[in-house]
């Protein structure tokens, strides 16, 4: 009688299969969430506008049209010639809002990406390694969280040279500490699971365990934090620009456009309304997508939010 012995699966096969199953379930849940799909469409639209800004903007965002001001030198209200009206210098507001989409999204995405990379490095290192490494990293994280971030951002951008990359740097510096604490707690949990113990038993090094077994478990959390953090960063950039400390004229960003039109908020309210409305729609789109991703990766969160037991 021939007996066939089935080869044992590697210790890492179970977590990989579980991850694939979880990803498929998350995708099916996300497709059924109409609000998340609406948010995803909105995010995709803003990304497309940012990438295609040179082709979809009707005019040069910095060109001052002689006919863009009234005979008294006032900006023009929305019209067929200028759909969003003009600003105080006679520039086409629609073109500036479109180009501002590129700048504001770039600042939001790059700042959030840099902050999450730093948060991941700190959280994973503190959660996996013991001794002085964990103590020092946790101490630094707690110290950053204890500072009033808004006041420090204002102080920092006031003393540094003005520019887009300074804004990116400042927003990144003050956005990594909280997600680092979350990643730290998650790594503490993941590092105690059976597949990590199995990897240690077969002689896998710390770097291999981190890159192959622990960090992939944090990908859903990274995706959710990214989509929820980008709108907060966009609002922070708009706030700094509105105070004159962010993106500097003539570069167009949503916040700088509002800042430039602050003197005419009564006589030319469209200078405030259109970039403000675009900021609101962008933030709402990212938040809807982020909430949908959170519910897709953690189905119990949606039930808790709806009051289910």
């Amino acid at each position: 009688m021939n007996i066939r012995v089935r080869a044992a699966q590697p210790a890492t096969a179970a977590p990989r299969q579980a991850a694939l199953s979880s990803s498929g379930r998350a995708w099916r849940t996300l497709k059924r969430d109409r609000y998340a799909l609406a948010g995803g469409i909105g995010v995709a639209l803003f990304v497309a506008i940012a990438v295609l800004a040179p082709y979809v903007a009707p005019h040069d965002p910095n060109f001052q049209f002689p006919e863009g001001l009234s005979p008294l030198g006032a900006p023009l209200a929305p019209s067929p010639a200028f759909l969003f009206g003009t600003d105080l210098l006679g520039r086409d507001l629609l073109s500036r809002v479109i180009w501002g989409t590129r700048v504001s999204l770039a600042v939001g995405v790059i700042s959030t990406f840099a902050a999450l990379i730093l948060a991941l490095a700190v959280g994973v290192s503190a959660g996996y390694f013991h001794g002085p490494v964990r103590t020092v990293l946790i101490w630094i994280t707690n110290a950053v969280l204890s500072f009033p971030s808004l006041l420090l951002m204002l102080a920092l951008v006031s003393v540094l040279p003005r520019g887009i990359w300074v804004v990116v740097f400042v927003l990144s510096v003050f956005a990594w500490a909280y997600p680092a604490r979350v990643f730290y707690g998650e790594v503490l949990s993941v590092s105690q699971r059976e597949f990590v113990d199995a990897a240690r038993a077969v002689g896998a090094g710390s770097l291999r365990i981190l890159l192959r077994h622990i960090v992939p478990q944090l990908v859903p959390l990274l995706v959710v934090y990214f989509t929820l953090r980008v709108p907060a960063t966009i609002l922070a950039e708009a706030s700094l620009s509105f105070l004159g400390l962010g993106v500097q004229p003539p570069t167009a960003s949503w916040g700088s456009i509002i800042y430039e039109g602050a003197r005419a908020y009564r006589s030319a309210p469209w200078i405030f309304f259109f970039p403000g409305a675009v900021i609101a729609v962008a933030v709402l789109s990212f938040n809807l997508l982020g909430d949908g991703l959170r519910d897709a990766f953690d189905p119990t969160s949606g039930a808790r939010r709806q009051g289910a037991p």
Side-chain angles (χ1 to χ4, degrees):
M1 181 177 60
N2 295 328
I3 299 177
R4 296 182 180 179
V5 179
R6 185 178 178 180
Q9 292 184 342
T12 58
R16 288 201 191 103
Q17 292 174 356
L20 291 175
S21 176
S22 177
S23 299
R25 182 177 63 251
W27 174 242
R28 290 192 297 271
T29 303
L30 188 63
K31 288 193 298 183
R32 292 194 298 265
D33 191 335
R34 292 176 295 177
Y35 296 107
L37 290 179
I41 292 173
V43 170
L45 180 60
F46 278 108
V47 171
I49 292 174
V51 173
L52 301 175
Y55 307 100
V56 299
H59 305 290
D60 184 332
N62 294 322
F63 184 77
Q64 302 177 22
F65 289 90
E67 67 275 16
L69 297 173
S70 69
L72 298 178
L76 300 181
S79 65
F82 302 104
L83 295 180
F84 281 11
T86 60
D87 65 3
L88 298 176
L89 298 179
R91 297 173 294 191
D92 179 45
L93 191 59
L94 174 60
S95 299
R96 291 188 63 76
V97 169
I98 290 175
W99 278 90
T101 302
R102 167 176 283 195
V103 174
S104 295
L105 278 189
V107 171
V109 170
I110 295 174
S111 299
T112 302
F113 182 80
L116 287 182
I117 291 299
L118 180 58
L120 183 66
V122 172
V124 170
S125 300
Y128 185 78
F129 297 105
H130 302 276
V133 173
R134 174 178 296 180
T135 302
V136 171
L137 291 178
I138 292 300
W139 184 87
I140 293 174
T141 303
N142 291 335
V144 173
L145 286 173
S146 66
F147 289 134
S149 58
L150 179 59
L151 295 179
L152 288 178
M153 280 195 295
L154 293 175
L156 199 55
V157 297
S158 299
V159 299
L160 293 175
R162 307 288 172 82
I164 294 178
W165 291 109
V166 172
V167 175
V168 170
F169 169 75
V170 171
L171 293 176
S172 303
V173 165
F174 293 100
W176 65 269
Y178 181 77
R181 287 299 301 266
V182 176
F183 297 150
Y184 163 71
E186 189 68 16
V187 171
L188 284 179
S189 174
V190 173
S191 60
Q192 303 301 319
R193 295 182 184 176
E194 292 80 2
F195 61 88
V196 176
D197 292 335
R200 291 194 187 100
V202 297
S206 296
L207 183 61
R208 181 180 178 84
I209 292 174
L210 288 174
L211 297 181
R212 293 290 301 275
H213 306 297
I214 293 181
V215 172
Q217 302 295 319
L218 303 179
V219 170
L221 196 59
L222 276 169
V223 173
V224 172
Y225 260 99
F226 183 82
T227 53
L228 291 176
R229 185 61 202 176
V230 167
T233 307
I234 290 175
L235 287 175
E237 182 276 324
S239 300
L240 292 176
S241 296
F242 179 73
L243 296 174
L245 301 174
V247 178
Q248 297 299 300
T251 303
S253 75
W254 295 333
S256 66
I257 295 172
I258 297 176
Y259 167 72
E260 292 172 358
R263 293 174 294 169
Y265 71 95
R266 291 185 178 178
S267 60
W270 57 88
I271 302 179
F272 274 80
F273 174 77
F274 288 113
V278 170
I279 291 174
V281 173
V283 170
L284 178 62
S285 298
F286 273 100
N287 283 333
L288 288 176
L289 179 59
D291 286 342
L293 288 171
R294 180 187 59 194
D295 294 344
F297 287 119
D298 182 12
T300 60
S301 64
R304 289 195 302 267
R305 192 174 57 190
Q306 297 172 8

